[in-house]
């Protein structure tokens, strides 16, 4: 093992820079050469890579985004694209590829390993926290804090105007951001994809809390919510069925993906980055490095793509109890 390439792929996440830095510096510590690939798999196909050393990654631990840039590469989904990418890895004498990203990126990495017997390692980087085999993904903690800060601000205006706000948060098919940020920001209701509370129950519950004296309300809606209505339709429905509340909708969008990574994400990214390089040195391949109960662990990449078993039941109960 001599030459390692690293790339970031899919939606960017705060802490990706810290992970690249850790990979590069672990390579330097263990006397390996590290190559940075630009624009994810797109850069691999177009042969956009260059050597990185410990100094190339200075002053980036505190920066959001990814200096290697990222992409959701359509070309890499074709066997032709993957063939080209593999050709470039071989031409540059790369021995293994570290992919920092989410499930789409891991699917691509697995294909590369299966089709060309090329060693790959995944590091979970996505704000969604939707990856099996790790308690946390890089970027999730920062996104939670961004969301809570935004909701706190919206609460000020909600309470000044006696308004009910529906706030849409990201997370794709996972309710982790909605549920945790919802509890943290004291939301009255939280709608997540994993548990469809039903619109009627939502209206009943809002009516009840209004009767108890609530004059404004915050409803956090995960973007993958299964109510069957988009957030604007949901807002209209709520306004029609609740007397005396003005309703407003706020879609937080991509601010959730930006900003300086939290300390937690920086440390997590550092641990996983070093862990990935050490795993390669131990002869491991086609795995994802994750964090389970504070320990750096690894599972086969294939397993990382399986349905994740994050239990939400307890948190849902906590949200119910504390949001009355
Ligand atoms: O996976 C991260 C994420 O931000 C999801 O929460 C969201 O559904 C998606 O990416 C948005 O992707 P894009 O930025 O490509 O529109």
């Amino acid at each position: 093992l001599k030459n390692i390439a690293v790339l970031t792929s899919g939606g960017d996440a705060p802490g990706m820079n810290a992970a690249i830095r850790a990979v590069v510096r672990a390579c330097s510590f263990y006397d390996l050469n590290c190559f940075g690939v630009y624009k994810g798999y797109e850069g691999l196909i177009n042969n956009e890579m260059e050597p990185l050393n410990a100094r190339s990654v200075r002053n980036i631990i505190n920066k959001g985004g990814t200096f290697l840039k990222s992409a959701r590469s359509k070309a890499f989904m074709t066997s032709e694209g993957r063939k080209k990418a593999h050709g470039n890895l071989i031409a540059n004498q790369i021995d293994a590829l570290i992919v920092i990203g989410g499930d789409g990126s891991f699917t691509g990495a697995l294909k590369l390993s299966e089709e060309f017997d090329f060693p790959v390692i995944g590091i979970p980087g996505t704000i969604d926290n939707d990856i099996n085999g790790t308690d946390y993904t890089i970027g999730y903690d920062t996104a939670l804090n961004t969301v809570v800060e935004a909701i706190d601000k919206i609460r000020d205006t909600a309470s000044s105007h006696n308004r009910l706000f529906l706030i849409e948060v990201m997370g794709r098919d996972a309710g982790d951001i909605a549920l945790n940020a919802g509890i943290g920001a004291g939301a009255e209701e939280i709608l997540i994809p994993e548990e469809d509370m039903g619109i009627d129950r939502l209206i009943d519950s809002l009516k009840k809390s209004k009767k108890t004296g609530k004059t404004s309300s915050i409803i956090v809606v995960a973007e993958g919510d299964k109510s069957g209505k988009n957030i604007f339709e949901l807002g209209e429905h709520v306004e029609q069925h609740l007397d005396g509340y003005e309703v407003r909708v706020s879609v937080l969008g991509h601010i959730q993906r930006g900003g300086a990574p939290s300390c937690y994400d920086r440390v997590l990214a550092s641990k996983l980055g070093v862990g990935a390089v050490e795993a390669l040195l131990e002869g491991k391949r086609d795995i994802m490095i994750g964090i389970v109960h504070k320990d750096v662990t690894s599972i086969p990449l294939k397993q990382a793509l399986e349905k994740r078993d994050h239990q939400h039941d307890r948190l849902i109960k906590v949200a119910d109890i504390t949001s009355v």
Side-chain angles (χ1 to χ4, degrees):
L1 184 77
K2 225 173 113 209
N3 300 325
I4 292 178
V6 60
L7 61 79
T8 47
S9 160
D12 63 332
M16 278 184 163
N17 277 326
I20 301 165
R21 172 180 178 271
V23 167
V24 172
R25 292 202 169 162
C27 283
S28 142
F29 182 84
Y30 290 113
D31 267 333
L32 300 167
N33 301 317
C34 190
F35 293 78
V37 180
Y38 288 90
K39 297 192 215 101
Y41 293 119
E42 282 295 300
L44 211 49
I45 292 170
N46 299 326
N47 203 17
E48 290 178 68
M49 63 173 92
E50 62 180 22
L52 299 174
N53 61 39
R55 292 285 73 73
S56 331
V57 289
R58 70 180 142 204
N59 295 335
I60 62 166
I61 193 166
N62 53 330
K63 300 270 194 308
T66 158
F67 90 99
L68 285 179
K69 311 220 179 256
S70 192
R72 299 191 194 278
S73 173
K74 288 222 167 67
F76 198 73
M77 289 177 191
T78 67
S79 57
E80 214 175 297
R82 291 194 293 275
K83 206 168 158 202
K84 245 178 134 187
H86 177 250
N88 287 330
L89 286 167
I90 298 302
N92 288 290
Q93 297 181 314
I94 305 296
D95 302 309
L97 174 68
I98 296 179
V99 172
I100 306 168
D103 56 354
S105 313
F106 291 170
T107 305
L110 201 59
K111 282 238 154 81
L112 196 66
S113 114
E114 283 170 357
E115 289 173 359
F116 302 99
D117 193 24
F118 195 85
V120 294
I121 301 265
I123 296 180
T126 162
I127 61 163
D128 300 338
N129 207 38
D130 59 348
I131 305 289
N132 190 39
T134 187
D135 291 344
Y136 298 107
T137 56
I138 297 165
Y140 168 63
D141 181 68
T142 306
L144 280 183
N145 288 307
T146 302
V147 171
V148 166
E149 197 186 326
I151 299 178
D152 285 351
K153 289 180 175 158
I154 291 174
R155 184 180 287 287
D156 288 346
T157 169
S159 76
S160 304
H161 287 265
N162 284 356
R163 279 178 178 165
L164 183 148
F165 266 85
L166 282 95
I167 303 172
E168 185 180 282
V169 301
M170 281 185 170
R172 211 177 281 269
D173 295 320
D176 294 49
I177 294 179
L179 192 52
N180 286 276
I183 291 173
E188 275 64 34
E189 303 289 344
I190 304 167
L191 307 187
I192 56 170
E194 294 89 341
E195 166 120 347
D196 181 12
M197 89 181 281
I199 297 179
D200 294 344
R201 252 173 67 205
L202 171 70
I203 302 289
D204 278 354
S205 172
L206 289 169
K207 278 184 180 158
K208 261 188 216 141
S209 55
K210 194 159 187 286
K211 264 196 197 135
T212 66
K214 285 211 175 175
T215 52
S216 63
S217 278
I218 302 284
I219 307 176
V220 174
V221 185
E223 64 176 346
D225 153 61
K226 300 276 189 298
S227 69
K229 291 187 190 295
N230 71 38
I231 192 157
F232 296 98
E233 295 165 347
L234 204 57
E236 271 178 31
H237 184 91
V238 170
E239 196 160 49
Q240 280 160 11
H241 291 80
L242 270 187
D243 285 336
Y245 262 146
E246 259 187 341
V247 175
R248 291 290 184 274
V249 169
S250 182
V251 177
L252 296 189
H254 287 77
I255 62 160
Q256 295 165 94
R257 286 235 297 262
S262 65
C263 180
Y264 182 86
D265 275 330
R266 297 180 198 194
V267 176
L268 175 65
S270 302
K271 281 160 103 172
L272 298 186
V274 171
V277 174
E278 287 180 341
L280 281 171
L281 285 167
E282 286 162 18
K284 293 185 185 157
R285 52 174 289 179
D286 312 333
I287 53 157
M288 182 195 75
I289 297 290
I291 194 94
V292 177
H293 302 139
K294 291 191 183 155
D295 291 329
V296 175
T297 55
S298 68
I299 58 164
L301 201 52
K302 216 180 198 147
Q303 231 170 290
L305 291 166
E306 287 170 8
K307 202 172 158 30
R308 172 198 63 141
D309 182 29
H310 280 196
Q311 293 294 336
H312 285 328
D313 300 1
R314 184 68 197 154
L315 274 183
I316 291 172
K317 187 166 182 194
V318 170
D320 282 347
I321 291 173
T322 56
S323 66
V324 283

